[in-house]
Structures are given as C-alpha cells and as structure tokens.
Amino acid sequence: MSASRPLRVAVVGSGPAAFYAAGHLLVGDDPPAAVDMIERLPTPWGLVRLGVAPDHPKLKEVSRAYEKIAQRPGFRFLGNVEVGKVVEHDELMRLYDAVVYAVGAQTDRQLGIPGEDLPGSWAATELVAWYNGHPDYQHLSFDLSGERAVVIGNGNVALDVARMLALTREELEPTDTTDPAIEAIAESGIREIVVLGRRGPVQAAWTPTELHEMGELAGADILVDPVDLELDSASEAELAAASNIVQRNVEILRDFAAREPAGKWRAVRLRFRASPVAMFGEEKVESVEIVRNRLEVDSAGRVRAMPTDEREVIPCGIVFRSVGYHGVPLPGVPFDEAMGTMPNASGRVLDASGAPIPGLYAAGWIKRGPTGVIGTNKKDATETVERLLEDARAGVLPTADSGRIEDLLAERGIQLVMYPGWEAIDALERARGEKLGRPRVKLRTWDELLKVARG
Ligand code: NAP
C-alpha cells in the first residue's frame, strides 16, 4: 500500500461505529487508507439522526465530530446504496481490500407472548423511527386516543418512549421531532404511561440522567409505589455491591416514590417485578396481562425474575415493546442468530470453523450486540480497525480488483448520494428549522431527500 494506492476499505453503515471506524482508518498512514462509507439511506449518522430522542439535542451534537471525519482526505460517503439489494457482499469483497460492517441491530427483540402481534402493539423502535422522521416509517399511524399506554422494558429506549409520549407541545416544539408527531403527541388522549420492568429497581438497565429527567416533565407526574422499592434479599445484596449508576438510580426512584403528585395532566408510572404474559383485544390491543414476579439468584449468580401465581390485567389503548434490539443477517455474511451479531474475534469476522475471514470485519452493535452508549462505539470500532491494520501490515488481506463501485452502481441505475448531496439536505433542513427556532425540520420522504440531494 502507498499514498498513490492506499488501502481501500468499505465501511458499511454510517452511525457512530461506522464513523469511529472511518476516523481511525484515516488518522494514520501505516498504511494510508481510503474509506468509502456505504449507507442505505440518503442521510448519514444512523441512530444519532434517527434514534436519539429529539428532546436530547446535546446527544445529537456528537454529529459535529462525524462532520470533521467526513472532511478528512480519503473519505467518501455513498448514500442510497443498500448492500444485499443494489450491491452484493461478494461484490464489495472484490472491490475493496477490506469491508467493515457497522450496520447496527436493525430489528427489535420479540416477547413471544400471545397477542403480541395485535394492532396497537408496537415495537418501541417503530415509534422512535417515526417521531425522528425516518423515511421508511412515515406512513405509520399510532392511535394515541386511549387513556393508557403501556411500555414494556426498563432500558433507556423505554424511558425515551415514555418521556416522548408525555411531553407537552411547548416541550416538543423547540426540537426536531416531526410535525405530525408533535401534533399527535400534544393532542393525544393518553393520561397515564405505565412502564413495566420484569425485574426490580436495582436491575433496571437505564441510566441516572435519563431516569432523573422523568421527574422533571412539565406535563406529567412521575409515580412510583414505595412498595415496589422494598428490596428482596437478592436485590439488597446486589445493590450493596453495585456501581454508582445503580446506586444513583435507586436514590432517584426513592425520591420519586416520596413525592406527592402535582396533579399534572399526564402521569408516568414506573412498575417493577411485572412481566407481560399476554395481550388481549378484539380488533386491537385493549389490555396487557401481567404476572407478578419474585426475584431469585440463579446458578450463574444473576438475579432472575420468577413468576408467582399473582396476575393482573392492565387496560390500555396502545403498547410499546421495548425489550432490546436484534441484529439482522446480510446474505453471504456469517451470522449468529441467537446473539444477533456477526461472529467475530475482536472485530475479525469468523467463518463456521472459527477462522477469521480475510478482509471481513464488524464494529458496533453488529459486533458486540445492542449495548452501551454512543461513546462505547469509539473503543469498539478502534479495536476492529487496529486488527484490520495489523492484517494489512501482515499482508493477509485479499487485494481488491481495479473496479469502482460508482461504475457498478451507475450501470444499475442507482442515484448515488455523495457527501455534497447530504450537505444540501442538511443545509435545507437547518434553514427550515432556523426560521422556527428549531435545530432542523427534517425531510421525511425518499422522494424529497433524493430530489434535494440531486440539487
Ligand atoms: P436495554 O438497555 O438492553 O434494555 C432492555 C430492557 O428490556 C431490559 O430492562 C430488559 O430486562 C428488558 N427485557 C428484555 N426481555 C424482556 C422480556 N421478555 N420481558 C420483559 N422485559 C424484558 O435495551 P434498550 O433500552 O433497547 O437500549 C439499547 C442500548 O441503547 C442500551 O445500551 C441503552 O443504554 C442505549 N440507549 C442509550 C440512550 C441514552 O444514553 N440516552 C438512549 C436510548 C438507548 P432484563 O434486564 O431483565 O433483561
């Protein structure tokens, strides 16, 4: 490899892991590298644009670092290119010296209970994609007319969804939530949002900043039953040895439980040790049946939820299942169905015999599963790229042929959206937002996005 023939790497995906991988590839020169970032959508940044809650603009500001990476020599953005559809994995392996998949975890985990597929039972990720303006989710219509919504899960996504449903028009308007979502949420009939955790307050997966915010909402009280905070012996022991994060979570919950409700229009109720066992309804979901759990330590030392005989039916108008994401396989690329990841050793993708496939790597959620915060992906992607560069220096990468992806895509009639196309979208969205005191007003359809990208 030389400056005139740098290492040619395709990074598939354009979320945090993809950008950190590209940034690390382009920062050194041993060997020099050129990166084509290949993205299915006409827009970059993955979940930073389309997953992070719109009322968390500070978190979205991480995109400034990605803009800087995109300016580095050797970087190209190739949007509107779906791998497995307009270009195959094998073709990428021929066109590049190395391919790094950083495609995230693109579907939701299932509960596996009766009634889960009733209309009105949604994956939380569908609501998230809708209020964030993802062009594939704008046709969805959420019936928010019922008085109660149930959110299943105790992670940060569950809190995002519960909080977004509880925001007032005044809280939503300064954000880049789409206009139809602002209208639907502000005008919704929802009075109570019940968040269900199958284990206890000590085992919740959310983080203190996000939990604390639930007590600061202008239009919604936070309700926690003090009885739910009485800890069993397994949880007492876990709390005593727990991280500051868990200790802080429990302190915040105790503060919530001690509060007198202010009588706001809406309420968010956090409940624990309750697993959904069925959803009922004639034409759409009308209730969720839950079983009360007790907690016990299993042989691996993990506190587990065990069902008791106590059941309860919670009437509701809509349900959001927020029990984690799951990776999606790509044709021709090894995949571990149970884990929802590409089997790998420190980012080197492994074949069925456990041997690394030369030139094939994974980073981010498709490598380690859907855990951690945005910054976690920096260390993760850096590790993958270090292995890739080691392999390049050791001469074990296959050499790409001389073809160019843009020629292949032109033959197939694909409109490539390169970085200037995205910059045109970005500038227009920001200009539309500026007039209204909002960070941006997003383009929400493929047609609009591709038209603006074309100039
Ligand atoms: P998560 O953190 O893995 O939480 C999943 C939740 O679902 C857990 O409470 C889990 O309970 C529960 N669950 C799983 N299976 C269940 C079942 N069958 N019945 C009932 N509950 C079940 O996932 P996430 O909320 O989707 O978040 C994904 C990642 O993105 C996390 O790392 C999260 O921190 C991050 N994120 C961060 C932010 C932020 O920083 N503001 C915002 C959004 C997301 P158990 O623990 O009992 O398994």
Side-chain angles (χ1 to χ4, degrees):
M1 302 298 153
S2 64
S4 58
R5 171 56 175 93
L7 184 70
R8 287 165 53 178
V9 183
V11 173
V12 183
S14 67
F19 267 100
Y20 294 125
H24 200 59
L25 279 161
L26 295 172
V27 82
D29 59 1
D30 185 21
V35 172
D36 279 355
M37 183 173 281
I38 298 174
E39 165 60 52
R40 191 177 86 80
L41 292 172
T43 57
W45 306 345
L47 287 179
V48 169
R49 176 176 164 94
L50 298 168
V52 170
D55 65 329
H56 282 168
K58 281 255 169 314
L59 282 180
K60 292 196 187 245
E61 278 175 17
V62 68
S63 58
R64 298 221 179 113
Y66 308 154
E67 284 168 347
K68 289 200 183 118
I69 290 168
Q71 297 313 319
R72 291 191 190 155
F75 178 91
R76 296 198 308 174
F77 176 74
L78 285 80
N80 192 29
V81 179
E82 182 169 353
V83 177
K85 195 164 164 202
V86 301
V87 60
E88 298 302 325
H89 164 69
D90 289 351
E91 291 172 326
L92 289 186
M93 291 298 280
R94 276 202 300 278
L95 288 166
Y96 294 92
D97 302 316
V99 177
V100 180
Y101 282 105
V103 291
Q106 294 181 50
T107 191
D108 57 297
R109 287 184 51 204
Q110 301 286 301
L111 285 167
I113 61 171
E116 181 172 10
D117 297 326
L118 276 170
S121 159
W122 296 91
T125 50
E126 292 174 297
L127 184 81
V128 169
W130 171 72
Y131 63 54
N132 263 314
H134 191 305
D136 290 344
Y137 292 81
Q138 296 311 300
H139 62 290
L140 299 182
S141 166
F142 297 90
D143 178 359
L144 304 179
S145 61
E147 284 209 353
R148 185 177 293 111
V150 171
V151 180
I152 299 165
N154 264 184
N156 280 325
V157 172
L159 288 189
D160 278 350
V161 164
R163 190 183 65 255
M164 283 295 294
L165 290 173
L167 294 184
T168 60
R169 184 180 291 282
E170 292 67 34
E171 287 169 311
L172 287 163
E173 267 175 350
T175 72
D176 65 4
T177 310
T178 64
D179 286 337
I182 294 178
E183 211 42 48
I185 294 170
E187 294 302 318
S188 94
I190 296 175
R191 300 293 303 271
E192 185 180 74
I193 300 144
V194 178
V195 181
L196 296 176
R198 65 173 165 182
R199 298 191 290 157
V202 175
Q203 293 82 26
W206 51 49
T207 40
T209 313
E210 284 65 28
L211 181 61
H212 178 260
E213 259 181 295
M214 303 304 289
E216 307 290 305
L217 302 174
D221 282 318
I222 181 80
L223 307 177
V224 178
D225 185 342
V227 174
D228 261 352
L229 301 186
E230 286 169 10
L231 301 183
D232 51 277
S233 55
S235 296
E236 282 285 9
E238 190 170 338
L239 182 61
S243 65
N244 285 345
I245 291 177
V246 174
Q247 308 269 359
R248 185 80 192 105
N249 280 343
V250 174
E251 267 172 42
I252 295 168
L253 289 168
R254 287 188 173 140
D255 165 53
F256 290 168
R259 288 191 192 181
E260 270 303 312
K264 295 177 186 175
W265 170 250
R266 289 185 179 131
V268 177
R269 185 183 296 278
L270 306 180
R271 294 191 57 178
F272 299 94
R273 293 185 291 270
S275 285
V277 286
M279 295 184 203
F280 302 110
E282 286 293 315
E283 276 159 24
K284 60 182 277 296
V285 69
E286 290 165 18
S287 63
V288 178
E289 184 177 16
I290 57 169
V291 61
R292 298 289 301 168
N293 295 323
R294 61 185 169 75
L295 301 182
E296 66 175 44
V297 183
D298 67 12
S299 54
R302 186 178 144 91
V303 174
R304 280 177 47 133
M306 301 301 290
T308 66
D309 294 335
E310 222 182 301
R311 295 198 173 200
E312 179 187 334
V313 173
I314 306 176
C316 61
I318 195 161
V319 176
F320 296 100
R321 308 175 312 265
S322 182
V323 295
Y325 292 81
H326 197 80
V328 171
L330 269 158
V333 185
F335 189 70
D336 179 333
E337 189 53 58
M339 300 294 292
T341 54
M342 294 178 180
N344 70 91
S346 307
R348 290 182 176 112
V349 176
L350 306 175
D351 67 15
S353 73
I357 299 174
L360 183 56
Y361 302 86
W365 280 3
I366 199 66
K367 167 185 171 187
R368 69 172 191 278
T371 60
V373 292
I374 294 169
T376 315
N377 294 296
K378 190 164 189 179
K379 192 164 169 245
D380 176 305
T382 300
E383 178 193 54
T384 296
V385 169
E386 283 296 323
R387 297 294 86 76
L388 188 163
L389 295 173
E390 266 169 37
D391 293 348
R393 289 191 289 267
V396 298
L397 296 184
T399 304
D401 70 24
S402 55
R404 299 186 328 154
I405 190 167
E406 53 271 42
D407 297 338
L408 193 94
L409 294 168
E411 271 169 34
R412 292 175 187 174
I414 303 303
Q415 180 198 330
L416 257 181
V417 177
M418 306 283 288
Y419 206 71
W422 153 244
E423 285 175 317
I425 294 170
D426 189 36
L428 180 73
E429 289 184 344
R430 286 184 198 273
R432 283 171 34 160
E434 205 176 332
K435 288 188 217 137
L436 304 166
R438 301 169 63 182
R440 62 175 69 235
V441 173
K442 284 179 186 164
L443 300 177
R444 295 185 288 116
T445 66
W446 279 91
D447 280 355
E448 283 177 306
L449 287 160
L450 292 177
K451 192 168 148 222
V452 173
R454 260 198 307 273

